Amino acid sequence: LLLAIAGLPRGSLPEPIVRRALELAPAAPPRLRAQIGMLALVAGVAPARALALLELDELDDDDRGRLGALVGASGAADGVDGLRLIAAQALATDPAGAGPAVDAFAARAPDDPRAQQMVGTQRLAIGDGRAAAAAFARAGNPAAQVRALLEAGDLAGAQALLRDQRGATARYVAAR
């Protein structure tokens, strides 16, 4: 059912069918979820819910090109998922210039690891390895944190983190 619905021209389905697709979409594979989210977003049906289904990596070039306008028109642009998508798109097109979009998302969702990951990626793009490392630590991404520490010239910090991670991995394996 979802595959058939996702393949139809956007805007061609009655609202009850789009709503039913939105109900079923969370269990669907990521690409299909994104297609259903775009279908609902174009139709103006439950925009906040539709935005929550979208991941930038799952959208084709046409959908990526329309995303900013659709998020803006959705009335949910200042919600967490609207800000997340705007920040992800800004990072994909201009990582160094994405600071305002990334900061807006991080301010709205400071405990969201995706926001912290984006902050780290953006800070690394502008050469601020220390800020990037701190953000990657908040995101729970030690590999990126090590990379950022190395970019910042903090070899000792990177080595210490690697030692800690090796110990954590050994404890994890021993617990199994």
Side-chain angles (χ1 to χ4, degrees):
L1 173 66
L2 288 178
L3 280 173
I5 289 171
L8 294 172
R10 300 210 169 103
S12 65
L13 291 172
E15 183 177 330
I17 292 176
V18 175
R19 286 192 183 283
R20 181 65 179 140
L22 280 172
E23 290 172 15
L24 298 173
R31 175 75 178 127
L32 185 54
R33 253 192 329 263
Q35 289 175 317
I36 298 298
M38 285 300 290
L39 179 91
L41 198 56
V42 168
V45 175
R49 200 164 169 193
L51 290 172
L53 295 173
L54 299 178
E55 292 295 334
L56 194 65
D57 292 344
E58 300 298 335
L59 300 177
D60 61 29
D61 290 341
D62 290 339
D63 286 341
R64 282 182 182 210
R66 299 181 324 157
L67 185 62
L70 288 171
V71 170
S74 72
D78 62 345
V80 170
D81 288 305
L83 292 171
R84 172 182 56 83
L85 291 165
I86 291 167
Q89 193 162 39
L91 271 176
T93 56
D94 179 16
V102 168
D103 291 344
F105 174 41
R108 181 61 92 108
D111 297 327
D112 188 326
R114 298 171 301 181
Q116 296 306 317
Q117 183 70 28
M118 287 185 195
V119 169
T121 301
Q122 195 278 327
R123 297 312 187 264
L124 206 53
I126 62 170
D128 190 349
R130 292 227 178 265
F136 289 137
R138 290 188 301 272
N141 186 342
Q145 186 181 2
V146 166
R147 190 177 93 235
L149 288 169
L150 290 172
E151 283 283 328
D154 186 356
L155 181 59
Q159 288 174 327
L161 183 59
L162 286 171
R163 271 193 305 277
D164 290 347
Q165 290 304 308
R166 190 171 40 238
T169 301
R171 287 189 299 277
Y172 175 78
V173 170
R176 293 276 180 215

